[in-house]
Amino acid sequence: MADLEPQEGAASPRCANPDCHVGVDGRCIEGFSDTADCPQFGRIPITPDASVSGAYPEPRNGVAMQASTTLSVDEADDVVKERPSRVIAIAGPHAAGKTSLIAGLYDLFQLGQVGNVAFAQSFSLQAFEQAAHDSRAASRRTTPNTARTERGEVRFYHLELVDTDSGAVPSVLLGDRAGEEYLETRSNPMSAQEFPELRRADVLTLLVDGQRLLDAGQRHNLRSEIRQTLQAFVEAGVVRPSQRLALVLTKLDVIRKAVDGGERAFQGFDTLVAGLRADYGTNFAAVESFRIAAQPSTDGAKRGENLDHLLEYWMAEPLRYRPATMVFEVPEAERYFARLMPVAKGVQ
Ligand SMILES: Nc1nc2c(ncn2[C@@H]2O[C@H](COP(=O)(O)OP(=O)(O)OP(=O)(O)O)[C@@H](O)[C@H]2O)c(=O)[nH]1
Ligand SMILES: [Mg+2]
């Protein structure tokens, strides 16, 4: 790490990110342990000029740029109709790390390709920036303090991504909503029918808060919350056999710091996954588990750990459009009419 002690007479080290105070507290908001690796460090901060009236010049000729924000359900549906897409529902209790996962993925794309996936474009850049800003700021604090996602309609973050192996360029729509709304389905399963992202999802991604799994007192409650939430989704009929299920353990960095190296938390997660696979596996086309650290707050932890594996799972070809294949055995016969078969019931 470069010498970060502010020195008398010398300008303190500075960062292009105005929210980063690395010169004061020695902590890089971008999460780099060595500031030499940080693309922002040492560059001139970009701050609005207060002497100019208004922070930025007024738009000329009334031309305004289109907001690059999250998409409503209707807007997301338009994307799905117009281009190849993957709809990802990210569900889980409050503070499980749903918004941080979205922000963490966006942050990884700032550094380059994620696994075999490259960034092409996004309709939600401002929204991603906002989410990433909030979670970067939270990850600098010792106690988590990310802005909670407000209750209300689901919002979709849009990414257009390139699978560099297959050449596919799908739109990926990441659905985010407040965790307590998902939890409420436990007492009222039918309320899950009001969550359009669940029915539309190609991958239902259910997050398990690693920090809570560390706590012996909370471990049991958390496992029942996850199980009951999934049960509610199944009862409400919002999952379908062509969907894939991802069970994701979050905050891997915190788990690893536990006195037992996280052994009990990992065991608790594996037991949960095995139970859910046994009870709900037939409701999905596939069930996979992942362990991630989307926005680690502990020193030296790898940012976005294992998000490449989760992204690869999200990017898989969705099963929803796959036509049913029917194999007809054509009888061998010399006369053409003898080859005709009765039409199978239900076949148009
Ligand atoms: N240590 C650590 N903290 C994390 C990680 N991911 C998220 N967090 C923290 O966990 C807290 C909750 O994260 P959020 O992303 O806001 O959780 P959420 O599921 O979106 O919560 P709601 O919007 O309330 O439903 C925040 O303070 C994050 O900084 C991680 O990988 N490691
Ligand atoms: Mg959130």
Side-chain angles (χ1 to χ4, degrees), residues 315-348:
M315 289 285 283
E317 183 74 29
L319 304 174
R320 64 196 134 120
Y321 298 131
R322 187 171 291 176
T325 48
M326 301 191 77
V327 180
F328 293 101
E329 284 196 15
V330 181
E332 293 281 331
E334 212 166 286
R335 289 183 64 230
Y336 191 84
F337 265 50
R339 297 182 198 169
L340 298 178
M341 296 183 300
V343 176
K345 209 174 168 190
V347 176
Q348 304 281 314

Side-chain angles (χ1 to χ4, degrees), residues 1-7 11-14 22-28 32-38 41-42:
M1 176 102 146
D3 183 10
L4 297 174
E5 288 300 313
Q7 289 161 17
S12 56
R14 56 187 178 172
V22 65
V24 178
D25 58 16
R27 294 198 65 177
C28 170
F32 289 96
S33 50
D34 187 340
T35 47
D37 296 334
C38 178
F41 183 72

Side-chain angles (χ1 to χ4, degrees), residues 51-239:
S51 64
V52 179
S53 76
Y56 295 100
E58 292 291 319
R60 279 184 293 166
N61 304 326
V63 177
M65 278 181 67
Q66 207 179 350
S68 175
T69 185
T70 48
L71 308 188
S72 65
V73 175
D74 287 347
E75 289 165 335
D77 281 348
D78 287 345
V79 171
V80 172
K81 275 184 229 147
E82 282 167 18
R83 46 186 102 199
S85 55
R86 318 280 188 257
V87 181
I88 315 295
I90 304 179
H94 157 61
K98 300 180 292 297
T99 310
S100 302
L101 166 55
I102 291 169
L105 183 61
Y106 170 75
D107 268 346
L108 277 195
F109 278 120
Q110 311 261 328
L111 303 176
Q113 223 170 279
V114 180
N116 63 344
V117 180
F119 176 86
Q121 63 160 328
S122 168
F123 302 152
S124 310
L125 281 178
Q126 284 173 4
F128 272 118
E129 261 307 317
Q130 183 65 54
H133 175 274
D134 289 347
S135 56
R136 280 176 210 144
S139 68
R140 295 177 65 233
R141 302 190 180 105
T142 43
T143 49
N145 195 22
T146 293
R148 299 174 66 166
T149 305
E150 300 281 332
R151 297 173 73 98
E153 284 300 301
V154 64
R155 301 298 303 178
F156 288 96
Y157 290 77
H158 169 270
L159 285 169
E160 202 155 286
L161 300 176
V162 186
D163 180 328
T164 56
D165 288 345
S166 69
V169 189
S171 277
V172 177
L173 295 154
L174 305 171
D176 191 26
R177 75 159 65 236
E180 59 257 52
E181 294 191 274
Y182 288 123
L183 269 190
E184 284 164 13
T185 61
R186 293 175 305 152
S187 52
N188 177 14
M190 291 309 138
S191 65
Q193 294 183 343
E194 284 153 32
F195 301 160
E197 69 278 18
L198 297 177
R199 279 188 199 282
R200 285 165 173 76
D202 297 305
V203 183
L204 170 60
T205 304
L206 199 48
L207 266 52
V208 181
D209 188 336
Q211 191 147 26
R212 284 180 66 200
L213 214 49
L214 273 182
D215 182 334
Q218 293 208 42
R219 198 171 298 141
H220 177 72
N221 280 352
L222 175 59
R223 291 208 309 235
S224 338
E225 274 174 22
I226 300 292
R227 171 174 281 278
Q228 289 166 2
T229 304
L230 190 54
Q231 172 66 27
F233 293 175
V234 171
E235 269 177 43
V238 292
V239 303

